[in-house]
Amino acid sequence: MTERTLDFPDPDAQGHWIRLVTLTRTRWLAIAGQLAAILVASGYLGLQIPLGTCLAVVGVSAISNILSWYLFARSKRLSEIEFLLTLVFDMVQLTLLLFLTGGLTNPFALLLLAPVTIAATALGLRSIVIVGIGALILVSLLAMNFVPLVMADGTTLMLPDLYRFGLWLAMVIGVMFIAAYSRSVAREKLGLAEALHATRLALAREQKLTDIGGVVAAAAHELGTPLATIKLVSSELLAQVEPGSEQAEDMALIRDQADRCREILHSMGNVGKDDKLVRSAPLRSVLDEAAAPHSQRGIIVSVDLRSTSRMPEFRRRPEVIHGLRNLIQNAVDFAQHEIWIEAEWTESTVTVRVVDDGPGFPPSLLARIGEPYLRDRTNSRPEYKGMGLGVFIAKTLLERTGATVRFANSVTTEPTPRRGARAEVTWDRKAIEGDTRGALGVNEGLAPS
């Protein structure tokens, strides 16, 4: 069993998120390094290289940087294709320099791996393939065609063919390995960032709903007395006027509308969960609230309290409600007929289990349940594109409250057979239990008159 959720974020869909100024500054550093290497090789080491041509190649890169600086706003962000073309340009420019300075025998040939690494971490799969294939082609061309380095004494630096073949093979393997490794790390980081962002949004939404509920409850409480007074006065006036008169109709209308206002405020006040009167609630009430949105989906939701001592009073934190609700939703999604919400407690701990009668967690993913963006290729229910984001959000929110969350496949026979996925949440009782004695706040003394 896995959680149905949104598809994995596609890097290709990001678009326009890389700033042009970032690449421009990086290219200036590359230009400075290339100029320094050329001047040191020609002036200090005395290598006989086509200095003018090398400087011209570096100059082309500098001119492109200057044009980018003046033609585009500093806030411009590159699209996928624009970033791809920029990397291809940089690879071609570097390849020309290497061609003029010894090809793969030049130690700086290693820099051809940089565009591949950048593409693997910032671009989509199609662009990575283009950059990777381009790098392999350029490396192969440099292995066969280049201007040899000539030492200061006129000696031509030529490495043995076997060694040059080894350099070429190392570069090819390096391109493929670094591209694959960087891509996997980038996807892992992006997936976790997206999942954490979704968690923050879920918690913010739950907190906002809780805050709105508190305001509504306060309004219902404060307006109750004035509405009762309006109803009382209108009823007394109605008794004093002639029945059937226009004044009697007006008084009856005022009384009826006051009743209607009280009913509206009462129904709105039911969602006021952050009021001090209900800031703490019995564990059973918290479980019922978490399960309420899924109780009418055709799956039986049973709450089983397995302890007989005093029931814990939970602090009604949004993390607890939303986290348990996500676990219950996941169980309902994959249950066949029924899910069980089991709760038991001791003097030191409180444990809640959500068990369903579905197929259970896939054995291949059981050790990774709770991580975001899991894929189950053997899912027997293709209508659920299980990727684990909901379970990840639930686990993250519940752990924020001090809980320990575990996942397993349940095989029990007592008191009733229960086979399916099991999510178990355990709290330290002191960390989660609300202080019922202080639920209404601290008594304040009267100010001296």
Side-chain angles (χ1 to χ4, degrees):
M1 180 181 76
T2 49
E3 177 68 19
R4 65 172 170 169
T5 175
L6 300 176
D7 289 338
F8 188 89
D10 183 7
D12 293 333
Q14 303 257 341
H16 297 85
W17 64 280
I18 300 168
R19 292 196 306 164
L20 176 62
V21 67
T22 302
L23 292 182
T24 303
R25 291 172 178 171
T26 304
R27 187 181 289 168
W28 280 125
L29 293 176
I31 291 172
Q34 291 171 358
L35 285 176
I38 292 172
L39 295 178
V40 169
S42 176
Y44 180 74
L45 299 178
L47 297 179
Q48 299 179 26
I49 60 176
L51 182 60
T53 307
C54 291
L55 293 177
V57 174
V58 177
V60 170
S61 184
I63 291 173
S64 68
N65 242 19
I66 294 173
L67 291 177
S68 299
W69 188 271
Y70 284 102
L71 294 180
F72 301 102
R74 298 186 64 182
S75 59
K76 176 179 174 57
R77 296 184 179 272
L78 300 179
S79 64
E80 175 91 5
I81 185 64
E82 290 171 337
F83 193 15
L84 172 61
L85 293 176
T86 301
L87 292 179
V88 171
F89 172 83
D90 290 338
M91 280 199 308
V92 172
Q93 188 263 354
L94 179 58
T95 301
L96 287 175
L97 274 182
L98 293 172
F99 169 78
L100 297 171
T101 55
L104 293 185
T105 62
N106 188 328
F108 290 102
L110 186 66
L111 293 176
L112 277 175
L113 297 176
V116 178
T117 305
I118 295 173
T121 57
L123 297 180
L125 181 59
R126 182 183 304 174
S127 299
I128 296 173
V129 172
I130 293 174
V131 173
I133 293 177
L136 293 177
I137 293 174
L138 294 175
V139 166
S140 300
L141 291 175
L142 286 176
M144 297 180 294
N145 302 281
F146 58 92
V147 176
L149 287 173
V150 180
M151 309 299 291
D153 58 1
T155 303
T156 300
L157 180 61
M158 289 294 294
L159 298 177
D161 291 342
L162 180 61
Y163 190 77
R164 286 195 293 117
F165 174 77
L167 289 176
W168 171 82
L169 185 60
M171 290 292 294
V172 170
I173 295 176
V175 167
M176 293 188 294
F177 174 77
I178 289 180
Y181 183 76
S182 301
R183 167 82 172 169
S184 62
V185 172
R187 284 173 63 88
E188 186 82 14
K189 182 178 180 181
L190 177 61
L192 184 59
E194 291 287 339
L196 290 175
H197 179 63
T199 303
R200 288 193 293 268
L201 290 179
L203 180 58
R205 177 180 179 276
E206 192 73 18
Q207 184 65 58
K208 185 175 181 179
L209 292 176
T210 302
D211 293 341
I212 292 174
V215 174
V216 172
H221 176 72
E222 294 296 331
L223 292 176
T225 300
L227 287 174
T229 303
I230 292 174
K231 179 181 179 181
L232 176 62
V233 173
S234 61
S235 298
E236 292 179 351
L237 292 175
L238 180 61
Q240 297 176 8
V241 299
E242 182 180 351
S245 64
E246 184 176 348
Q247 292 82 0
E249 293 178 356
D250 291 341
M251 293 299 103
L253 179 62
I254 293 174
R255 181 191 61 188
D256 293 342
Q257 292 303 308
D259 287 337
R260 184 166 180 267
C261 288
R262 293 187 66 182
E263 292 174 358
I264 293 174
L265 288 174
H266 177 74
S267 62
M268 293 173 64
N270 286 335
V271 300
K273 303 299 183 183
D274 197 44
D275 187 74
K276 289 183 178 181
L277 289 169
V278 290
R279 185 169 293 170
S280 295
L283 174 59
R284 175 61 187 261
S285 298
V286 173
L287 297 179
D288 289 340
E289 180 181 353
H294 311 294
S295 59
Q296 305 297 325
R297 294 179 54 189
I299 300 295
I300 301 174
V301 180
S302 302
V303 179
D304 182 7
L305 304 180
R306 295 191 163 190
S307 299
T308 57
S309 58
R310 182 181 65 85
M311 185 180 299
E313 289 277 336
F314 264 38
R315 287 199 296 270
R316 294 193 63 268
R317 298 176 60 176
E319 295 97 322
V320 173
I321 301 298
H322 196 83
L324 292 176
R325 185 170 295 164
N326 269 21
L327 294 180
I328 295 171
Q329 175 184 348
N330 196 66
V332 171
D333 284 345
F334 290 89
Q336 300 295 329
H337 305 288
E338 185 174 5
I339 74 166
W340 300 270
I341 305 173
E342 304 171 354
E344 61 183 22
W345 55 90
T346 66
E347 292 297 325
S348 58
T349 62
V350 179
T351 300
V352 174
R353 300 183 192 91
V354 181
V355 185
D356 63 64
D357 62 352
F361 294 114
S364 60
L365 298 181
L366 185 57
R368 298 179 57 203
I369 297 297
E371 297 180 12
Y373 302 110
L374 298 180
R375 287 181 173 86
D376 177 19
R377 302 184 185 276
T378 63
N379 186 9
S380 60
R381 300 185 66 179
E383 66 271 23
Y384 295 111
K385 300 179 66 175
M387 299 179 70
L389 182 56
V391 173
F392 170 81
I393 291 175
K395 184 173 183 290
T396 302
L397 293 179
L398 292 171
E399 286 179 346
R400 283 188 54 172
T401 67
T404 300
V405 185
R406 301 181 182 89
F407 302 94
N409 286 323
S410 180
V411 181
T412 61
T413 57
E414 294 295 338
T416 58
R418 297 180 182 180
R419 299 175 181 268
R422 183 179 78 239
E424 182 176 291
V425 187
T426 303
W427 288 275
D428 178 57
R429 186 161 178 167
K430 294 181 180 179
I432 194 64
E433 191 168 16
D435 184 4
T436 56
R437 295 171 301 175
L440 299 180
V442 180
N443 292 330
E444 298 180 0
L446 296 175
S449 57

